[in-house]
């Protein structure tokens, strides 16, 4: 357990985002003088990280651990495959990690100069980090949790109190909590957390919502998958759940899960989340990474890959997938002119980038044609440094319930590397962002400050007459995770494509978790598993190419 001390008030949390090029948006820095108010006595605040929850014996964790172990215990290949992977986000890193565990030689190509994809981060001129998104690690993420353990970095997760905390728009500056009691098993701890909260839903609304959920509880996974054709709003009304339940709870949840509102989001997404979070005692318990993701999470994966003979190259952007006469992949042509060939090829980029790179004669194949419906959703991640320590905060993730903001956190309190006893750095997810993605950074900051004035009425005003902005960063991601609208599920591809030797990884590919970090890591494991299973076929293809090359004059 770690303790950290700060002054002048309590503390808060936040963050979120992603990119496929360089950071978009400028930073603004204003010099300000700070002073202590006369007669003001700074208070000491203690923030406490909670012990790692007991998740190692859950069925999902053990299932994930077994899949991980299968790579380490598989027969060593007589000739390791060279597998070329485009994209060093979590999906690509995961694919390469588990292929290396199985004795193969992955070559991971990243277009940018930073690791992480949707969890990338950059350091500004002051040495402060700003990220593509606000990244939360849940107890219900078994593949992520196994990955941390396999790398020996479990201590880099800062676990928080088992609660979900929502702002109260009708009571500016106040919050409503769902506290999960530690003494009860799942789903009783979640049920009690809901029943004990009387600020957001009335008892009649809770009862109607519970009745509406009964088919999902009884029908299980088959029922959940059948709801993909309905939006959250449509499903709620069909089940007789009052609209106020959607307004009070599920607008915030929809934006947190997929950056869109309940009138667009597929209900399957919500039901999957509820199933994962409520069926495990610690499923909804949250942890923050103790620092920037590229160094604290991605770099240990790279070091592991390299220790087993794999390779990772930055600034290596794929320009074209070049094909053989039979339509299989010949090589990856990079923008720097280099030609990279291998025994197998993986695209672990966002789906929008993949679609831009697809060879023309692949596009009419049903497997690839279905990808047309999968489109990345825009999102904006905002970091604001204030000239003082804000008091109306928690050491936790917060649901803003703002029409413009999704979730946020005071990273200067929540994250060890970003800790600052004198200033607050709020990281916020601006969503839905479709109408704002083309706006200037200053316009986005102005709109954000108006919303923050409602969340911090005694400390922040839109005109900065109270807390003043020291600097900010706005990170725009025009295409982030795929937009989980109704009828997308059938379009998600398996990791093994119909093109021999070509595979996909990414949270949009078929796996049982959401478009999330957990989904990305699991997709990489499933991709690596498919390649390992295809070893004999891929090795034979490699021998055939060598034979052809030796026959050429």
């Amino acid at each position: 357990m770690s303790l950290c001390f700060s002054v002048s008030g309590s503390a808060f949390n936040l963050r979120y985002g992603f990119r496929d090029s360089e950071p978009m948006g400028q930073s603004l820095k204003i010099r300000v003088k700070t002073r202590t108010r006369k007669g003001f006595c700074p208070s000491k605040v203690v923030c406490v990280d909670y012990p790692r929850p007991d998740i190692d014996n859950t069925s999902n964790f053990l299932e994930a651990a077994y899949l991980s172990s299968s790579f380490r215990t598989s027969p060593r290949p007589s000739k390791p495959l060279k597998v070329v992977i485009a994209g060093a986000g979590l999906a690509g890193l995961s694919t390469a990690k588990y292929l290396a565990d199985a004795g193969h030689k992955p070559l991971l190509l990243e277009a940018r100069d930073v690791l992480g994809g949707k969890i990338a981060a950059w350091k500004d001129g002051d040495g402060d980090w700003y990220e593509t998104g606000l990244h939360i690690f849940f107890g219900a993420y078994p593949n992520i949790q196994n990955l941390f353990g396999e790398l020996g970095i479990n201590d880099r997760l800062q676990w928080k109190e088992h609660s979900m905390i929502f702002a109260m728009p009708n009571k500016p500056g106040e919050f409503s909590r769902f506290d999960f009691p530690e003494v009860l098993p799942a789903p009783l701890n979640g049920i009690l957390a809901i029943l004990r909260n009387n600020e957001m839903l009335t008892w009649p609304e809770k009862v109607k919502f519970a009745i509406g959920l009964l088919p999902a509880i009884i029908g299980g996974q088959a029922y959940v998958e059948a709801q993909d054709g309905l939006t959250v709003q449509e499903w709620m009304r069909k089940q007789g759940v009052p609209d106020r339940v959607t307004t009070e709870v599920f607008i915030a949840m929809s934006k947190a899960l997929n950056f869109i509102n309940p009138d667009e989001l597929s209900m399957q997404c919500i039901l999957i989340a509820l199933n994962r979070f409520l069926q495990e005692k610690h499923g909804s318990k949250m942890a923050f990474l103790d620092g920037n993701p590229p160094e604290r999470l991605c770099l240990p994966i790279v070091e592991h890959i390299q220790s087993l003979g794999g390779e990772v190259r930055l600034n290596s952007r794929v320009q074209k997938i070049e094909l053989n006469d039979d339509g299989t992949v010949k090589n990856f042509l990079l923008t720097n002119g280099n030609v990279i060939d291998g025994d197998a090829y993986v695209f672990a980029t966002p789906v929008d980038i993949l679609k831009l790179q697809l060879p023309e004669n692949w596009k009419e194949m049903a497997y690839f044609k279905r990808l047309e419906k999968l489109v990345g959703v825009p999102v904006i991640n905002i970091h604001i440094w204030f000239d003082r320590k804000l008091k109306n905060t928690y050491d936790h993730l917060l649901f803003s319930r703002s029409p413009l903001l999704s979730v946020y956190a005071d990273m200067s309190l929540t994250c060890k590397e970003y800790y600052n006893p004198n200033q607050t750095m709020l990281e916020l997810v601006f969503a839905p962002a479709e109408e704002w993605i083309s706006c200037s950074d200053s316009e986005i900051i102005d709109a954000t400050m108006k919303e923050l004035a409602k969340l911090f009425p005694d400390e922040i005003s839109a005109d900065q007459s109270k807390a003043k902005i020291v600097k900010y960063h706005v990170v725009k991601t025009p295409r982030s995770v795929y937009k989980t609208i109704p009828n997308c599920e059938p379009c998600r591809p398996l990791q093994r494509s119909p093109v021999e030797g070509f595979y996909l990884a990414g949270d949009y590919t078929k796996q049982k978790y959401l478009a999330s970090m957990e989904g990305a890591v699991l997709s990489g494991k499933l991709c690596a598993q498919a390649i390992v299973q295809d070893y004999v076929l891929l090795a034979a293809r490699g021998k055939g190419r060598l034979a052809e090359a030796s026959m050429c004059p």
Side-chain angles (χ1 to χ4, degrees):
M1 181 176 292
S2 64
L3 300 176
C4 56
F5 300 91
S6 66
V7 297
S8 67
S10 72
F12 218 117
N13 315 17
L14 83 117
R15 89 192 169 137
Y16 202 36
F18 152 62
R19 311 200 29 61
D20 54 35
S21 59
E22 304 310 314
M24 298 173 63
Q26 303 294 316
S27 61
L28 173 68
K29 186 172 181 181
I30 306 172
R31 294 188 177 275
V32 297
K33 294 182 179 180
T34 59
R35 56 190 175 88
T36 303
R37 288 176 286 165
K38 186 176 181 180
F40 176 72
C41 179
S43 60
K44 182 173 72 173
V45 175
V46 180
C47 69
V48 180
D49 290 337
Y50 287 74
R52 184 175 181 270
D54 182 17
I55 56 178
D56 294 3
N57 292 317
T58 63
S59 60
N60 284 331
F61 184 92
L62 293 173
E63 179 186 337
Y66 177 77
L67 180 55
S68 293
S69 69
S70 70
F71 297 103
R72 300 189 297 271
T73 59
S74 64
R76 298 298 89 177
S78 57
K79 183 182 183 302
L81 298 173
K82 177 185 178 183
V83 183
V84 184
I85 305 166
L90 282 179
L93 288 165
S94 174
T95 305
K97 190 266 186 194
Y98 292 105
L99 283 172
D101 284 348
H104 298 289
K105 303 300 179 187
L107 170 56
L108 189 56
L109 306 172
E110 169 53 45
R112 300 184 295 180
D113 61 355
V114 61
L115 298 166
K118 299 185 187 76
I119 63 168
W122 299 266
K123 186 183 286 188
D124 67 14
D126 300 318
D128 293 317
W129 287 90
Y130 58 102
E131 308 180 15
T132 48
L134 180 55
H135 310 294
I136 303 300
F137 299 81
F138 288 95
Y141 280 3
N143 291 283
I144 283 274
Q145 298 302 333
N146 268 278
L147 179 62
F148 272 84
E150 292 160 27
L151 297 170
I153 58 172
N154 273 331
D155 60 343
R156 297 186 181 183
L157 287 177
Q158 294 184 253
W159 290 94
K160 305 304 177 183
E161 187 178 10
H162 197 172
S163 300
M164 300 184 76
I165 306 173
F166 292 75
M168 299 289 287
N170 57 329
K171 297 179 181 179
E174 296 186 20
F175 298 87
S176 180
R177 299 169 60 103
F178 292 87
D179 295 316
F180 293 70
E182 292 296 321
V183 296
L184 293 177
L188 296 179
N189 61 344
I191 293 172
L192 188 59
I194 294 170
L195 293 179
R196 290 196 303 189
N197 183 300
N198 295 315
E199 297 159 317
M200 292 176 65
L201 299 178
T202 65
W203 273 98
E205 288 166 343
K206 293 177 188 177
V207 170
K208 290 179 180 178
F209 177 48
I211 294 173
L213 277 179
L214 280 177
I217 297 171
I218 297 171
Q221 187 64 25
Y223 178 87
V224 169
E225 292 178 1
Q227 307 315 302
D228 181 50
L230 297 174
T231 67
V232 176
Q233 186 178 79
E234 289 169 344
W235 184 90
M236 292 288 183
R237 289 175 176 173
K238 177 185 174 185
Q239 297 301 113
V241 180
D243 283 349
R244 217 180 73 86
V245 175
T246 302
T247 302
E248 291 295 296
V249 178
F250 287 99
I251 289 179
M253 281 195 66
S254 297
K255 294 203 295 183
L257 288 170
N258 199 239
F259 316 125
I260 57 179
N261 283 314
D263 60 344
E264 290 188 280
L265 183 68
S266 166
M267 187 61 194
Q268 184 193 40
C269 183
I270 291 286
L271 291 175
I272 290 174
L274 290 175
N275 181 49
R276 302 297 173 202
F277 294 160
L278 296 179
Q279 293 302 317
E280 297 180 23
K281 179 177 179 178
H282 303 291
S284 57
K285 194 162 189 174
M286 306 178 199
F288 287 74
L289 192 61
D290 67 356
N292 71 89
E295 291 182 350
R296 301 300 289 169
L297 174 55
C298 299
L299 189 56
I301 305 176
V302 169
E303 291 170 346
H304 179 88
I305 294 166
Q306 292 173 335
S307 73
L308 295 175
E311 187 180 353
V312 179
R313 299 181 190 173
L314 301 178
N315 298 305
S316 300
R317 186 183 297 274
V318 175
Q319 177 177 307
K320 185 180 181 182
I321 302 172
E322 297 195 316
L323 303 183
N324 295 306
D325 293 340
D326 63 359
T328 59
V329 180
K330 180 179 181 181
N331 55 56
F332 284 171
L333 173 64
L334 306 187
T335 54
N336 59 16
N338 289 342
V339 174
I340 309 295
D341 59 14
D343 299 301
Y345 300 85
V346 178
F347 242 69
T349 67
V351 66
D352 299 280
I353 294 177
L354 168 66
K355 289 190 291 185
L356 291 174
Q357 296 282 7
L358 284 178
E360 284 299 320
N361 55 338
W362 286 5
K363 290 182 179 179
E364 293 306 311
M365 298 172 65
Y367 175 90
F368 295 110
K369 194 169 181 61
R370 285 193 294 267
L371 297 178
E372 293 175 3
K373 189 174 176 64
L374 302 180
V375 178
V377 64
V379 67
I380 300 170
N381 198 50
I382 300 168
H383 306 69
I384 304 178
W385 284 259
F386 289 96
D387 66 345
R388 65 197 69 182
K389 204 70 182 169
L390 299 176
K391 292 181 286 186
N392 192 33
T393 61
Y394 288 89
D395 180 21
H396 214 291
L397 177 77
L398 298 168
F399 294 84
S400 76
R401 299 175 73 204
S402 152
L404 297 181
L405 305 176
S406 173
V407 291
Y408 68 106
D410 179 356
M411 298 304 289
S412 61
L413 176 75
T414 302
C415 176
K416 291 176 184 176
E417 185 177 14
Y418 303 161
Y419 176 71
N420 188 323
N422 302 312
Q423 294 181 341
T424 286
M425 189 273 274
L426 293 182
E427 187 173 348
L428 313 101
V429 182
F430 197 102
E434 190 165 0
E435 296 180 4
W436 290 86
I437 200 76
S438 62
C439 293
S440 68
D441 291 353
S442 60
E443 289 174 317
I444 292 168
I445 290 296
D446 287 345
T448 301
M449 286 295 288
K450 290 177 182 177
E451 294 303 308
L452 289 178
K454 301 172 186 175
L455 296 169
F456 299 82
D458 297 328
E459 302 179 89
I460 295 178
S461 61
D463 63 1
Q464 296 189 54
S465 58
K466 297 175 184 176
K468 293 179 173 54
I469 296 176
V470 177
K471 64 177 179 179
Y472 63 74
H473 290 287
V474 175
V475 181
K476 298 178 180 178
T477 304
R479 291 287 183 264
S480 183
V481 296
Y482 79 94
K483 193 173 184 179
T484 313
I485 58 177
N487 301 311
C488 274
E489 193 63 26
C491 301
R492 298 176 70 184
L494 295 171
Q495 287 74 31
R496 182 189 286 110
S497 87
V499 177
E500 193 174 278
F502 185 75
Y503 303 81
L504 299 179
D507 58 14
Y508 69 92
T509 62
K510 193 73 172 178
Q511 39 79 22
K512 63 181 180 179
Y513 288 89
L514 307 168
S516 61
M517 293 184 291
E518 171 69 9
V521 170
L522 178 54
S523 78
K525 292 174 84 168
L526 295 175
C527 181
Q529 182 185 52
I531 293 171
V532 170
Q533 291 171 345
D534 293 348
Y535 171 70
V536 173
L537 172 65
L538 296 170
R541 290 182 69 247
K543 290 180 181 178
R545 289 197 306 274
L546 288 174
E548 288 178 10
S550 65
M551 293 173 62
C552 292

